[in-house]
Amino acid sequence: MSPAPELKATLTLPQTAFPMKANLAQNEPLRLTRWTELRLYDELRKASRGRPVYLLHDGPPYANGPIHLGHALNKGLKDFVVKSKTMAGFDSPYVPGYDCHGLPIEIKVDEQLGRKKLEMPVPAVLDACRAYAQQYVDLQTPQFQRIGCFGRWDNPYMTMSRAYEARTLEAFYGFLEKGFVYRGLKPVYWCIHDRTALAEAEVEYEMHTSPSIFVRYRLTSPPAALDPALAGREVYTIIWTTTPWTLPASMAVAFHPDFEYVALAASGYPKAAVKPTDPVYIVAAELAPSVVAACQLGSVEELARFKGTKLERATFKHPFLERSILGVLATYVTADTGTGAVHTAPSHGADDFYTGQRYDLDQTCPVDASGHLEVDHDAWPLATLPPFEGKTVWAANPIILAMLEEQRALMGSSDLEHSYPHCWRCHNPIIFRATEQWFISLETPIKREDGSETTFRQLSIEEIDRVVWDPAWGKERITNMIATRPDWCISRQRIWGVPIAVFVCEECQNPILDPALNRKIVDLFEREGVEAWHTTDVAALLPAGARCSHCGGTDFRKETDILDVWFDSGTSWLAVCESDPDLKSDYAAFQKHTEVGGKRAECLYLEGGDQHRGWFHSSLLTSVALRGRAPYSHVATAGWTLDEQGRAMSKSLGNGVDPVDIAERLGGEIVRLWVASIDFREDMAASENLMQRCAELYRKLRNTFRFLLGNLHGFDPAQHRVAEADLLPLDRYMLARTRDLAEKILGRYEAFEFHRIYHAVNEFAIVDLSSFYLDVLKDRMYTFAPTSVARRSAQTVLWQITEALVRLVAPILSFTADEVWEYLPKVEGREASVHLALFPQPEEIVSEEPAKLLEEWKQIFTVRDSALQLLEAERQAKRIGKGLEAQLKITVSGDLLALLKRHEGGLKEILNVSKVTVIEGPEMVIAALAASGSKCARCWNFMPEVSNYGIWQNVCTRCQSALREMGIDPPPSEVAS
């Protein structure tokens, strides 16, 4: 004989094999393996055929190191978009890409090769660059996969692939043949460290200390021509500059035509009287007081006042060279700082250059590619070279200051810390340098779709208006950049990139324009790569008897410059979207405005906010020039990743957060949850502490899923699902709440408001489910017979909630949602992975609109809140213990009385007490009383009728009925073995 079972063994407690402990670091790689075995991305593509197109085109990360948190943010957001669009019923392919050309890789290879590079043929160096880039493509790919990002990772696009390089060259030829491209002498941003021109997108501003100096130029033309009062006087103008190294290139002094200028006689001493022999200085009237102070001019007397136009064509003497300096007019001269007289070096500034063109000034650049100065020998009066000869521009600054002092031309000097342009690659300060470069003109005439004429710049701005910018300020930002930018300098003096594959006439320096020849070179690149440009002789490429169409010359050379890497990546819409077999039909649907089911094909670019001057910018320009339209319909931009103190992450501060490390310790799911936790449009804080907080929230969400699954044990939807009309009121409310959640989440996925989804799911799981519904259901789920309608009603709703919730969170919690999917009750025809399923439609959750029911329950919850406060006060006063030891009497009137009367049978469950009575009265009063009856040993409710059930004492009639329904007879004192 064996003893009778314990009464608590008859409770139906949650039961599931879904593990409480996630062990993400160990289990996520196993799930990645399963996805690979399922060929999940390929299956998604098959399932999506024929759906409306939503193409997210990947902006390629640079292949020169392991991924960092910014990469994880970027790829995480893209993965949210691709998965949510796929589950929303779109065809949303994702082909990841890698940016492989450019200076950083070439510099690293230079460091590795050392002097050996000088002896190597160019193709061998290019091979080394390819190998270097491939090494990091191979490193980054599994790191992106490790955080759960779906895509065609086995065949990403790379800007160094032969097909991509050929399409880039094809795009360049498109510009060339349509007349956008010209070669000319212009000042461009120049990095003397990397010895190459830079585009505006390759320039960053950092703080820099420069010498701030005031220099006098002596007037050599007749002073009386400016004003009779100056006749016979020693007259100067004073310029202000922070680049003393540009003074050897000084050719003019610019004055504003509309400014008033004053001629000040200066004693040089504060209290000394001005004498007729004292020098006279011409400066802008508005700036005169500050110039007098900065140059310590002492007592001054105004001798004359005149407009800047009087100074045009006046001449001055260079402070240390035998050179006549011309007075010129320019409206860019400002009165906010300086002297109102601007030293003009045409080879070292855009404004200076164009002024030099107007006045036919010498534009020779005295600075070589590595930043070393060369003297103008015609202007240097001595036999010995000047001390700045051969010095770099920065080393020349103090030398030139000393020369100015020696010539008594230095009127004042100090150090100025200011924002200054730096190379974005090497982070060294850069200069303006006039050189021969290849440019794309923004003023090229171009036709709109309707045939009307405009300019390249204007059409680009018009296309910006047709794009959805998120956040909206992006539109104004890129519009201003396009409106004010200079012509695009597309040439770089390096080798690791796509060559500007043109043949230049040795006589007139014009390129051959031959479309047939261009197609031949494109085909060559496609077969043999860019190396072919360096290995194939000119004669083997040019047609026999080739002549220059401009001068008839027959000698040609190959251009050695390469294309700007922004041109490289900016043609990805052509090289990838238009050309890749997996994407071209989808992109064609976007370009043709194709609709499926009333939804137009869309194309999204999503990158960091700096790409308004980078990839967004160059992609727009190339597409508008070659296709007459923007390459995208939507552009979204993300902020920067910062530490908790708002500082940028850096190795020196040691404040970085490594997503690979987080994935290995806490799980890739935690990285994803962090990405979803903050509005990506703002700068985002990250730290170990914040990652641990995400991990803690993850544990709560996982436990919620586990509790849901545990309560679905024994539930077969095909057999046990309760019809919507037969559900208990509380269960119907929870379905309405779930539908409301689903509608909000679906809208927020569409708006890319992932942080609001994060908070909504968190609130629903912790507040609506864990703290309320799952808590109040325990009595029904544990003590009612498993087959009872009331329990099946709850299980039906728990199943529908889990089915909906697991799909709604799948784009974000990709690993966990797929794991939960496997533990759900089996349903015929269920997809092998949650990621192959679609989002739940709101009407699938519950058929009726939820607003009315939710409003009713809002009133019930108001009563509940008051009741719970009262119960807590009773508990604090030690008049009751647990809620089940109390009963409540609620007095109400009017509509609320009718509402509570309808729900009176379920109020004890909602309020977690043993009994609730609703009565009519003039105002709402809730009274708490000690529960009447006796405590049931099985359900712990206080019931009016409690008796023995076999040897089990104090069992209420409700539990006895449940036991009989479960087939459990009253046990005798002993049970036979």
Side-chain angles (χ1 to χ4, degrees):
M1 305 289 287
S2 62
E6 293 187 34
L7 183 58
K8 66 180 181 180
T10 67
L11 298 175
T12 309
L13 299 177
Q15 184 177 335
T16 179
F18 182 79
M20 181 170 65
K21 192 170 183 182
N23 288 323
L24 292 175
Q26 294 75 38
N27 290 328
E28 286 174 343
L30 299 177
R31 189 151 298 274
L32 290 173
T33 300
R34 179 176 179 274
W35 289 341
T36 301
E37 291 169 350
L38 284 174
R39 299 189 62 82
L40 185 53
Y41 180 75
D42 293 340
E43 291 302 313
L44 283 167
R45 300 278 50 78
K46 290 177 189 175
S48 299
R49 285 176 190 154
R51 296 178 182 173
V53 170
Y54 196 98
L55 175 61
L56 189 157
H57 179 42
D58 191 31
Y62 204 68
N64 68 333
I67 70 169
H68 53 66
L69 196 61
H71 287 123
L73 169 69
N74 178 282
K75 282 294 193 285
L77 291 171
K78 290 174 180 176
D79 197 53
F80 295 169
V81 172
V82 170
K83 284 175 178 161
S84 62
K85 289 297 179 184
T86 300
M87 295 186 75
F90 288 87
D91 177 12
S92 189
Y94 178 65
V95 176
Y98 290 99
D99 194 357
C100 306
H101 288 144
L103 202 54
I105 288 174
E106 189 173 343
I107 289 172
K108 286 294 182 183
V109 170
D110 284 356
E111 292 172 357
Q112 291 177 356
L113 296 176
R115 296 188 62 80
K116 177 183 173 185
K117 180 189 175 186
L118 301 175
E119 304 165 5
M120 294 171 64
V122 169
V125 178
L126 297 182
D127 284 346
C129 291
R130 282 190 196 283
Y132 186 93
Q134 189 65 53
Q135 167 190 347
Y136 287 105
V137 170
D138 294 342
L139 175 66
Q140 289 185 13
T141 294
Q143 291 177 337
F144 287 131
Q145 290 176 295
R146 178 62 188 84
I147 56 175
C149 297
F150 286 0
R152 200 184 70 186
W153 292 105
D154 58 342
N155 184 22
Y157 82 83
M158 294 182 284
T159 61
M160 68 178 180
S161 72
R162 288 178 177 177
Y164 194 105
E165 289 172 340
R167 297 289 78 74
T168 302
L169 182 61
E170 184 181 300
F172 167 72
Y173 286 149
F175 275 90
L176 186 68
E177 292 165 14
K178 290 184 176 186
F180 288 86
V181 179
Y182 67 94
R183 183 171 172 81
L185 176 71
K186 280 190 178 184
V188 294
Y189 288 117
W190 188 272
C191 178
I192 63 174
H193 180 267
D194 296 326
R195 303 187 305 284
T196 187
L198 300 174
E200 284 196 326
E202 297 170 310
V203 175
E204 293 179 344
Y205 283 81
E206 300 176 17
M207 296 309 292
H208 179 71
T209 301
S210 299
S212 168
I213 63 171
F214 294 84
V215 181
R216 69 181 187 177
Y217 284 49
R218 182 166 183 170
L219 182 71
T220 55
S221 56
L226 300 178
D227 191 282
L230 302 182
R233 301 298 294 258
E234 181 182 339
V235 180
Y236 299 84
T237 191
I238 300 174
I239 64 95
W240 171 75
T241 183
T242 58
T243 54
W245 61 268
T246 62
L247 289 174
S250 183
M251 298 291 171
V253 176
F255 303 92
H256 198 291
D258 301 326
F259 285 1
E260 281 204 325
Y261 287 83
V262 291
L264 303 175
S267 70
Y269 301 97
K271 296 182 180 179
V274 176
K275 303 187 295 292
T277 55
D278 286 335
V280 177
Y281 297 101
I282 297 172
V283 295
E286 190 175 339
L287 291 164
S290 62
V291 176
V292 169
C295 296
Q296 299 181 358
L297 298 183
S299 299
V300 295
E301 178 185 339
E302 182 179 320
L303 302 183
R305 182 178 286 250
F306 42 82
K307 288 284 188 182
T309 50
K310 295 280 286 185
L311 291 157
E312 186 175 25
R313 300 291 175 181
T315 58
F316 300 85
K317 184 185 182 304
H318 191 283
F320 54 79
L321 295 176
E322 294 295 331
R323 179 186 294 156
S324 180
I325 300 297
L326 185 67
V328 298
L329 301 180
T331 55
Y332 55 77
V333 176
T334 65
D336 55 354
T337 189
T339 67
V342 177
H343 126 70
T344 299
S347 59
H348 294 305
D351 290 333
D352 301 46
F353 180 83
Y354 295 116
T355 297
Q357 283 187 324
R358 288 205 327 273
Y359 287 92
D360 197 25
L361 302 176
D362 185 0
Q363 296 175 329
T364 303
C365 182
V367 178
D368 69 13
S370 55
H372 294 91
L373 281 164
E374 299 173 4
V375 71
D376 176 0
H377 293 282
D378 293 336
W380 181 247
L382 304 178
T384 57
L385 292 173
F388 60 76
E389 174 76 15
K391 296 289 192 292
T392 65
V393 293
W394 315 121
N397 276 337
I399 296 171
I400 290 172
L401 258 68
M403 293 176 67
L404 292 169
E405 270 196 298
E406 185 180 337
Q407 296 296 323
R408 300 179 64 190
L410 185 65
M411 303 296 291
S413 69
S414 61
D415 286 337
L416 175 68
E417 187 174 10
H418 60 138
S419 179
Y420 187 85
H422 285 65
C423 174
W424 75 323
R425 295 300 193 190
C426 67
H427 297 287
N428 286 299
I430 60 176
I431 65 173
F432 259 111
R433 178 172 178 263
T435 61
E436 286 273 349
Q437 300 290 337
W438 293 89
F439 295 90
I440 289 174
S441 170
L442 272 290
E443 305 309 324
T444 305
I446 193 172
K447 287 188 176 181
R448 297 184 179 92
E449 195 173 11
D450 63 6
S452 60
E453 287 203 355
T454 184
T455 64
F456 180 26
R457 187 190 305 276
Q458 183 57 35
L459 185 57
S460 298
I461 291 171
E462 290 170 12
E463 281 300 306
I464 290 170
D465 282 337
R466 299 173 63 179
V467 175
V468 176
W469 298 89
D470 183 9
W473 54 256
K475 176 182 174 181
E476 182 180 3
R477 186 176 187 191
I478 193 169
T479 299
N480 291 338
M481 288 176 172
I482 296 290
T484 60
R485 67 158 296 148
D487 287 349
W488 184 1
C489 177
I490 57 169
S491 48
R492 299 292 180 272
Q493 290 65 51
R494 305 299 296 189
I495 63 169
W496 179 228
V498 176
I500 297 178
V502 297
F503 297 95
V504 179
C505 176
E506 293 282 19
E507 293 295 324
C508 67
Q509 304 304 309
N510 281 304
I512 292 179
L513 294 177
D514 182 351
L517 175 61
N518 293 343
R519 300 290 82 73
K520 178 180 175 182
I521 305 299
V522 169
D523 292 342
L524 176 69
F525 276 34
E526 196 140 26
R527 292 193 314 271
E528 302 179 25
V530 297
E531 290 84 351
W533 186 245
H534 303 281
T535 58
T536 310
D537 291 337
V538 172
L541 293 171
L542 284 179
R547 287 184 174 276
C548 175
S549 61
H550 297 275
C551 70
T554 57
D555 290 332
F556 299 92
R557 61 176 174 83
K558 287 190 287 188
E559 175 58 73
T560 57
D561 287 353
I562 64 169
L563 286 164
D564 172 17
V565 290
W566 286 113
F567 189 95
D568 217 30
S569 60
T571 57
S572 61
W573 58 267
L574 168 63
V576 181
C577 297
E578 277 194 4
S579 306
D580 191 293
D582 290 346
L583 298 181
K584 60 184 182 181
S585 62
D586 284 346
Y587 196 67
F590 156 68
Q591 290 177 312
K592 296 173 183 175
H593 309 294
T594 303
E595 290 189 8
V596 175
K599 295 176 181 177
R600 178 179 286 188
E602 307 285 2
C603 182
L604 168 71
Y605 279 33
L606 192 166
E607 301 298 332
D610 57 339
Q611 297 307 311
H612 291 102
R613 63 174 187 153
W615 190 55
F616 302 154
H617 194 115
S618 62
S619 298
L620 175 73
L621 292 180
T622 57
S623 183
V624 169
L626 301 178
R627 296 293 181 269
R629 59 158 301 163
Y632 36 66
S633 57
H634 292 66
V635 173
T637 51
W640 300 101
T641 53
L642 309 173
D643 68 10
E644 286 188 279
Q645 284 73 49
R647 301 173 301 178
M649 294 184 177
S650 68
K651 289 181 181 178
S652 60
L653 290 175
N655 62 345
V657 177
D658 181 2
V660 177
D661 170 64
I662 296 297
E664 289 176 352
R665 289 190 295 111
L666 303 178
E669 205 80 300
I670 306 309
V671 178
R672 300 178 67 86
L673 205 54
W674 170 79
V675 173
S677 67
I678 308 169
D679 186 354
F680 69 85
R681 297 160 182 83
E682 308 292 336
D683 291 341
M684 288 146 288
S687 66
E688 176 70 21
N689 177 45
L690 290 174
M691 292 294 177
Q692 291 291 351
R693 278 193 224 168
C694 286
E696 180 58 33
L697 173 64
Y698 170 79
R699 282 189 283 272
K700 292 177 181 178
L701 292 174
R702 185 179 182 86
N703 284 338
T704 299
F705 272 122
R706 187 170 187 272
F707 197 77
L708 287 165
L709 292 170
N711 280 296
L712 291 175
H713 179 69
F715 179 74
D716 179 354
Q719 297 182 54
H720 305 142
R721 183 176 186 176
V722 175
E724 185 180 303
D726 298 329
L727 294 172
L728 270 61
L730 172 60
D731 302 330
R732 288 177 63 81
Y733 159 74
M734 280 309 298
L735 276 191
R737 177 70 182 91
T738 305
R739 172 170 172 166
D740 180 60
L741 174 76
E743 289 173 344
K744 289 176 179 174
I745 287 179
L746 294 177
R748 288 164 186 173
Y749 271 125
E750 191 168 346
F752 304 156
E753 293 177 332
F754 307 117
H755 62 296
R756 298 185 70 186
I757 297 170
Y758 169 92
H759 292 296
V761 169
N762 181 25
E763 180 183 358
F764 183 74
I766 294 172
V767 178
D768 292 79
L769 291 178
S770 296
S771 297
F772 171 60
Y773 188 55
L774 299 180
D775 184 51
V776 302
L777 274 188
K778 287 177 182 176
D779 181 54
R780 205 188 325 167
M781 295 303 299
Y782 296 178
T783 69
F784 283 38
T787 57
S788 68
V789 173
R791 193 173 187 277
R792 290 299 192 207
S793 172
Q795 280 191 307
T796 298
V797 170
L798 292 174
W799 172 68
Q800 288 184 264
I801 289 172
T802 313
E803 281 275 352
L805 193 59
V806 72
R807 286 183 280 167
L808 290 170
V809 303
I812 296 171
L813 293 174
S814 295
F815 293 100
T816 304
D818 205 42
E819 184 185 4
V820 171
W821 188 255
E822 294 174 353
Y823 287 89
L824 277 167
K826 302 304 177 188
V827 174
E828 188 177 352
R830 179 184 293 284
E831 296 83 354
S833 166
V834 69
H835 300 294
L836 291 166
L838 296 177
F839 280 140
Q841 293 305 304
E843 59 274 12
E844 294 173 8
I845 298 170
V846 65
S847 60
E848 64 179 305
E849 289 286 341
K852 182 180 178 182
L853 190 58
L854 293 178
E855 187 58 38
E856 280 188 0
W857 277 80
K858 190 183 290 185
Q859 298 176 65
I860 295 173
F861 276 104
T862 300
V863 174
R864 182 176 186 265
D865 290 341
S866 299
L868 293 181
Q869 289 178 12
L870 175 62
L871 290 169
E872 181 58 28
E874 293 294 299
R875 191 175 293 111
Q876 293 295 328
K878 301 190 183 302
R879 286 190 283 269
I880 63 168
K882 295 185 180 295
L884 290 175
E885 296 176 16
Q887 59 180 325
L888 294 175
K889 184 163 67 175
I890 303 174
T891 304
V892 285
S893 62
D895 292 341
L896 184 56
L897 172 65
L899 175 64
L900 294 185
K901 277 292 185 182
R902 285 205 314 272
H903 289 276
E904 189 168 9
L907 289 178
K908 69 179 292 296
E909 179 179 51
I910 296 167
L911 299 173
N912 201 24
V913 294
S914 285
K915 184 180 179 182
V916 176
T917 305
V918 178
I919 60 175
E920 185 175 7
E923 58 183 15
M924 188 173 85
V925 177
I926 303 175
L929 309 169
S932 59
S934 302
K935 181 179 180 180
C936 173
R938 183 170 180 271
C939 68
W940 296 3
N941 279 265
F942 281 75
M943 295 292 197
E945 297 181 15
V946 174
S947 61
N948 293 342
Y949 191 72
I951 64 165
W952 291 327
Q953 298 179 1
N954 302 322
V955 180
C956 70
T957 55
R958 191 189 72 179
C959 282
Q960 290 185 26
S961 296
L963 290 168
R964 281 191 289 271
E965 192 175 340
M966 294 164 67
I968 301 175
D969 295 326
S973 58
E974 290 185 334
V975 178
S977 59

